[in-house]
Amino acid sequence: MGPVLLNPLVTGPRRGAHPLAIRLLVPVALMTLLATACFTSEDQGSWSLVNASRQERGLPALALDQELSNKAGAWATEMANSGHLRHSNLPEDISQPWTALGENVGSGPDPLAIHKGFLGSPSHYRTMMSDQYRSIGVGVAHSGDRRTVYVAHVFLKSD
């Protein structure tokens, strides 16, 4: 059986963002380097697949974000535990300022099959290849019998 995929998009300003916080962000390369130490090899592999696909199309790589990955990882685990593919309440648990959020969730035999499913789905492809996003959170979890993998990607655009 091929991957099963779902895709939502949330746009609009998030109130309460402090402009100074945005200007004080650490450069993306440094954030990415520091953040990758906290991720599983499957999380990093899924992130690498997304960025390789983006770079093949001339798009910039997405920074791997810890907060977004915490959300994505918790959601992938929830889906794996329940055996149900569904979307999260996307804005929940995201404290950083944002103007747009996106989420791709899928299940299948392995992360590569799910990634290929995302590429073959117009709505998932649009989210993954959107030039508005600069950050991504990745979560990969296995069902109890380890037959099914669940992947959640959370995309963020900030000012």
Side-chain angles (χ1 to χ4, degrees):
M1 182 169 112
V4 180
L5 311 168
L6 296 174
N7 172 267
L9 175 66
V10 175
T11 60
R14 179 167 191 265
R15 304 215 184 274
H18 193 281
L20 183 59
I22 294 170
R23 288 192 298 265
L24 296 176
L25 289 175
V26 178
V28 170
L30 181 57
M31 284 181 5
T32 300
L33 179 64
L34 294 173
T36 56
C38 303
F39 301 100
T40 69
S41 61
E42 284 187 314
D43 294 340
Q44 290 181 20
S46 186
W47 172 57
S48 295
L49 288 169
V50 170
N51 278 335
S53 295
R54 287 175 60 86
Q55 289 176 330
E56 285 174 6
R57 291 153 181 86
L59 295 167
L62 298 172
L64 188 58
D65 181 275
Q66 183 69 57
E67 180 182 40
L68 300 178
S69 290
N70 290 344
K71 178 177 180 56
W75 194 247
T77 299
E78 165 64 27
M79 292 187 296
N81 289 340
S82 70
H84 297 290
L85 185 68
R86 62 193 184 282
H87 284 289
S88 69
N89 177 356
L90 198 46
E92 187 176 76
D93 299 325
I94 297 180
S95 64
Q96 61 189 292
W98 57 270
T99 55
L101 295 171
E103 179 179 58
N104 284 346
V105 296
S107 64
D110 58 65
L112 180 58
I114 297 166
H115 179 73
K116 288 178 179 179
F118 289 158
L119 290 173
S121 163
S123 63
H124 293 89
Y125 181 89
R126 275 191 306 275
T127 299
M128 189 167 40
M129 297 301 159
S130 173
D131 62 359
Q132 73 176 335
Y133 298 122
R134 295 294 177 254
S135 301
I136 186 173
V138 177
V140 178
H142 295 262
S143 61
D145 63 7
R146 303 203 50 88
R147 290 183 182 174
T148 306
V149 174
Y150 292 83
V151 170
H153 291 163
V154 178
F155 300 87
L156 180 138
K157 174 189 178 190
S158 61
D159 289 331

